[in-house]
Amino acid sequence: MHATPAGSLVPLFDRLGGELVASADGRVLDVDGLRHSLQLDLVRLFNVRNGLSIAQFLGEAPTVLDYGLPDTLALSPQSAADLALWQQVLTRAIALYEPRLSGVTVRVTPDAHKPAAARVAIAAAAMLGRQLCQVRFDVVLDDRAAQTGARCA
């Protein structure tokens, strides 16, 4: 996979397919635009399900056609083993489908207020021009959807 030019507005599937053409209007993202773009793409990624099992997703070589997460409804936020598996799935999905992020760490924990939900803390770096921007995303995953909040440090 090719490196994505920092700060470009290249559409998601063009980035994944290696098509690194500049945006049509030549706009470049600022810090808030980068954070917002990453947040939107992570929410989209975490809310799309592909047809793979968790084992296939982790063990095989998913393609752009396998965009999204495998079905994780069988995973329990109350199980340490399931939380670790969820962490592997999310880390793999980000590595495959969000090439703008590097040095990604994902931590999945139970949500203290919602027993059926998991809290995900994502920390990563993204290039903005020649500046490295540290980004953090907080995600709540439950049986309905993924919801995020983000900040760029």
Side-chain angles (χ1 to χ4, degrees):
M1 197 170 290
H2 303 287
T4 301
S8 70
L9 289 176
V10 179
L12 172 69
F13 287 102
D14 290 341
R15 288 193 319 262
L16 294 175
E19 300 293 325
L20 301 177
V21 185
S23 64
D25 62 6
R27 289 183 297 154
V28 176
L29 297 176
D30 61 6
V31 173
D32 289 333
L34 174 63
R35 177 188 45 77
H36 182 70
S37 174
L38 287 165
Q39 182 178 354
L40 288 176
D41 284 347
L42 286 174
V43 167
R44 185 177 301 117
L45 174 62
F46 293 166
N47 281 301
V48 171
R49 297 297 173 260
N50 59 39
L52 302 176
S53 69
I54 291 174
Q56 289 171 321
F57 185 73
L58 293 175
E60 295 180 7
T63 68
V64 175
L65 298 176
D66 299 312
Y67 177 81
L69 302 178
D71 183 5
T72 57
L73 285 175
L75 300 180
S76 168
Q78 304 307 314
S79 163
D82 285 356
L83 290 172
L85 188 56
W86 224 335
Q87 186 169 303
Q88 289 176 9
V89 167
L90 296 174
T91 300
R92 175 105 164 121
I94 293 168
L96 287 169
Y97 303 119
E98 189 43 76
R100 295 176 293 174
L101 294 178
S102 62
V104 177
T105 59
V106 177
R107 184 168 176 252
V108 183
T109 58
D111 186 318
H113 304 292
K114 298 178 186 176
R119 288 203 159 281
V120 181
I122 301 167
M127 291 299 293
L128 182 61
R130 294 183 180 176
Q131 180 182 1
L132 192 61
C133 179
Q134 298 297 319
V135 291
R136 298 184 190 284
F137 299 94
D138 299 312
V139 182
V140 176
L141 297 173
D142 61 23
D143 58 350
R144 292 183 305 253
Q147 300 173 349
T148 72
R151 56 190 160 97
C152 192

